[in-house]
Amino acid sequence: MDLFLEPGALVRHPDQADWGLGQVQSVAGRRVTVNFEQAGKQTIDSDAVRLIFVGDDPRGH
């Protein structure tokens, strides 16, 4: 699993550009819940999909 996958991280889905920017909500093993601008909350299998790290949430640190 990618080290950047933690709550608050901003990501994009490599195969779903129309979902827009997503913010990681939670990580449970390989299940990552991400809230995307255009697709809402999605649960991603981090073994099957390699999310693209965009940055840390500027409000969180």
Side-chain angles (χ1 to χ4, degrees):
M1 186 172 75
D2 294 306
L3 295 176
F4 68 81
L5 289 177
E6 61 181 27
L10 301 177
V11 297
R12 292 191 185 277
H13 191 295
D15 302 322
Q16 303 289 343
D18 59 327
W19 286 8
L21 189 62
Q23 182 181 47
V24 176
Q25 302 295 300
S26 65
V27 180
R30 61 186 222 197
R31 292 172 42 130
V32 182
T33 302
V34 182
N35 191 17
F36 289 96
E37 292 173 318
Q38 304 301 321
K41 283 192 178 176
Q42 302 290 327
T43 300
I44 308 291
D45 180 344
S46 64
D47 285 351
V49 176
R50 187 173 198 107
L51 293 168
I52 301 166
F53 179 67
V54 176
D56 290 321
D57 184 347
R59 299 167 294 177
H61 299 279

